[in-house]
């Protein structure tokens, strides 16, 4: 992990350039951020453009730093084109899940590459479930699949209780995107990692059961 391919450099550069444009030009930021009312009026470009804007330097750095560590796993085990499909598909799925959960909140808005990055993380977990992750506040390695399941369960909790100024639904939608698109692109995983596929599906099923029961 941690090698920089050309496509990763391009994505990180695009995020930096567009985010910094948004930092200094509020009208640009306002025009391209995700906003429910604007998307419903037909400005679908916001579903994608919002994924290249960030709220501040810390938000931008954390997303790009995380992408730097996980992108190469997906590129190496799949391909550059498939990585791009996963990145952009997860970005879109994150925005669409936000739209679904906030469709009656006309002024709800969000920015950030978190959905796309979460998709890359979950793709990497599926492709290399034995890898371990190191968290800033935990000095021991955590199995990737434990992190994956735990993070999705936390995202459900965050969505339900509206914890912090965080787009938990975009994170969750991105993770679903990375999960589904990777399985479509790599059906051989059903033979090699069936147990992991099932485990990572559990929080996704919980979310939709809760939604169907009207508790989300």
């Amino acid at each position: 992990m941690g090698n920089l391919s050309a496509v990763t450099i391009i994505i990180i550069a695009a995020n930096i350039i567009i985010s910094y444009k948004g930092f200094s030009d509020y009208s640009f930021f306002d025009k391209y951020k995700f906003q429910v009312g604007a998307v419903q009026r037909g400005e679908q470009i916001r579903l994608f453009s919002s994924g290249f804007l960030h709220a501040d330097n810390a938000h931008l750095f954390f997303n790009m730093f995380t992408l730097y560590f996980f992108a190469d796993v997906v590129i190496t085990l799949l391909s550059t084109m498939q990585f791009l499909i996963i990145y952009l598909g997860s970005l879109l799925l994150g925005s669409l899940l936000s739209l679904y959960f906030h469709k009656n909140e006309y002024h709800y808005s969000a920015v950030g590459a978190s959905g796309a990055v979460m998709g890359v993380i979950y793709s990497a977990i599926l492709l290399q479930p034995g890898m371990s992750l190191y968290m800033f506040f935990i000095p021991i390695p955590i199995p990737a699949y434990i992190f994956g399941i735990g993070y999705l369960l936390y995202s459900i909790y965050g969505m339900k209780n509206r914890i912090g100024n965080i787009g938990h639904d975009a994170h969750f939608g991105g993770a679903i995107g990375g999960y589904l698109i990777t399985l479509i692109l790599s059906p051989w995983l059903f033979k090699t990692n069936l147990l992991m596929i099932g485990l990572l599906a559990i929080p996704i099923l919980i979310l939709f059961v809760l939604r169907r029961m009207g508790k989300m």
Side-chain angles (χ1 to χ4, degrees):
M1 291 190 294
N3 295 325
L4 271 177
S5 67
V7 69
T8 308
I9 293 171
I10 291 168
I11 289 174
I12 290 174
N15 272 277
I16 292 171
I17 292 167
I18 295 170
S19 291
Y20 269 85
K21 171 67 175 173
F23 293 161
S24 62
D25 185 346
Y26 183 75
S27 63
F28 177 86
F29 183 89
D30 194 56
K31 182 178 180 179
Y32 292 109
K33 70 181 180 181
F34 174 86
Q35 186 179 52
V36 170
V39 173
Q40 290 174 340
R41 289 196 305 269
E43 297 177 32
Q44 277 84 16
I45 185 65
R46 292 174 183 258
L47 296 172
F48 283 102
S49 60
S50 59
F52 292 89
L53 291 167
H54 288 82
D56 51 40
N57 279 311
H59 187 206
L60 173 63
F61 173 79
F62 184 77
N63 276 334
M64 295 304 99
F65 185 71
T66 306
L67 178 64
Y68 160 74
F69 275 105
F70 288 95
D72 194 59
V73 175
V74 179
I75 292 169
T76 300
L77 295 175
L78 294 179
S79 70
T80 297
M81 184 55 65
Q82 289 176 324
F83 164 77
L84 279 173
I85 291 170
I86 290 166
Y87 185 89
L88 295 175
S90 298
L91 194 166
L92 178 60
L93 261 291
S95 293
L96 289 175
L97 196 68
S98 289
L99 185 63
Y100 174 68
F101 277 103
H102 299 282
K103 58 181 178 290
N104 296 320
E105 300 172 52
Y106 187 81
H107 295 292
Y108 178 85
S109 62
V111 293
S114 301
V117 173
M118 287 304 303
V120 172
I121 290 174
Y122 280 87
S123 177
I125 291 171
L126 275 174
L127 292 165
Q128 197 169 305
M131 69 180 177
S132 296
L133 309 179
Y134 288 85
M135 308 300 288
F136 292 116
F137 48 87
I138 301 176
I140 58 173
I142 301 171
Y145 70 92
I146 296 292
F147 170 82
I149 295 168
Y151 193 93
L152 285 193
L153 291 174
Y154 170 73
S155 291
I156 293 174
Y157 178 75
M159 290 161 65
K160 187 174 175 59
N161 296 282
R162 303 219 168 189
I163 295 175
N165 187 25
I166 300 171
H168 294 284
D169 33 33
H171 293 183
F172 202 102
I176 293 173
Y179 177 86
L180 293 177
I181 297 168
T182 301
L183 291 178
I184 291 168
L185 294 175
S186 309
W188 51 267
L189 289 168
F190 286 99
K191 293 183 178 179
T192 60
N193 293 336
L194 188 59
L195 176 61
M196 197 58 57
I197 291 170
L199 287 174
L200 288 174
I202 291 171
I204 297 173
L205 294 173
I206 289 173
L207 173 68
F208 286 103
V209 167
L210 289 173
R211 180 67 176 181
R212 195 164 185 81
M213 293 170 63
K215 295 184 177 182
M216 292 293 292

